């Protein structure tokens, strides 16, 4: 039985391993043929920025990893509008064209539709 699982990524891409662990969990779970969605909110919206420069900190850029999500059939990718606004990030600065921007009300509806929520 397929379950609807929403991963919520709330941490900046660098400075800790939480964002990378969230992405690893998404990709691993995708192998089990579940109905996956991914929501970026709070500082997690920084993961979606274009032109990330991570070479100075010797880490792989999230900008190179996120575009593989559709290859793993993770096609429901969302970003929280108010988190973008609070950080002064516009839609044009986002790496993924297919990401859907949701306001807080739409996020509440999305959360209510899930069988499982995993927050990182």
């Amino acid at each position: 039985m397929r379950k609807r699982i929403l991963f919520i990524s709330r941490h900046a891409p660098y400075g800790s391993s939480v964002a990378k662990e969230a992405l690893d969990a998404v990709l691993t779970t995708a192998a089990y043929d579940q109905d996956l969605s991914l929501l970026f909110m709070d500082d997690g919206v920084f993961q979606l920025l274009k032109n990330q420069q991570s070479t100075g900190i010797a880490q792989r850029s999230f900008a190179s990893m996120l575009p593989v999500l559709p290859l793993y059939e993770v096609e429901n990718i969302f970003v929280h509008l108010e988190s973008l606004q609070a950080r002064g990030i516009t839609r044009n600065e986002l790496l993924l064209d297919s990401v859907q921007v949701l306001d807080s009300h739409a996020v509440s509806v999305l959360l209510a539709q899930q069988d499982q929520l995993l927050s990182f």
Side-chain angles (χ1 to χ4, degrees):
M1 178 175 157
R2 287 177 60 117
K3 290 192 173 196
R4 285 176 287 188
I5 303 170
L6 176 65
F7 288 84
I8 305 169
S9 192
R10 298 176 164 226
H11 291 269
Y14 311 106
S16 78
S17 62
V18 178
K20 174 72 169 76
E21 290 169 1
L23 184 58
D24 288 345
V26 169
L27 296 176
T28 300
T29 305
Y32 293 98
D33 193 31
Q34 299 297 314
D35 183 6
L36 300 183
S37 299
L38 177 58
L39 169 65
F40 294 93
M41 61 186 312
D42 301 326
D43 285 343
V45 299
F46 289 118
Q47 297 175 45
L48 294 169
L49 287 174
K50 295 177 186 173
N51 303 320
Q52 297 177 28
Q53 302 296 324
S54 63
T55 53
I57 56 174
Q59 288 191 345
R60 188 172 176 189
S61 169
F62 268 74
S64 68
M65 295 187 280
L66 293 177
V68 304
L69 289 170
L71 298 175
Y72 287 83
E73 298 183 11
V74 180
E75 297 173 348
N76 297 321
I77 303 170
F78 306 98
V79 62
H80 182 230
L81 174 63
E82 287 82 354
S83 295
L84 290 174
Q85 292 172 333
R87 288 152 185 84
I89 299 172
T90 66
R91 177 79 171 90
N92 292 336
E93 296 175 279
L94 300 181
L95 173 69
L96 302 173
D97 292 333
S98 61
V99 69
Q100 299 174 55
V101 181
L102 302 178
D103 64 16
S104 292
H105 175 72
V107 167
S108 296
V109 172
L110 178 67
L111 295 176
Q113 295 171 337
Q114 306 303 310
D115 295 312
Q116 303 257 319
L117 301 173
L118 297 167
S119 183
F120 291 86

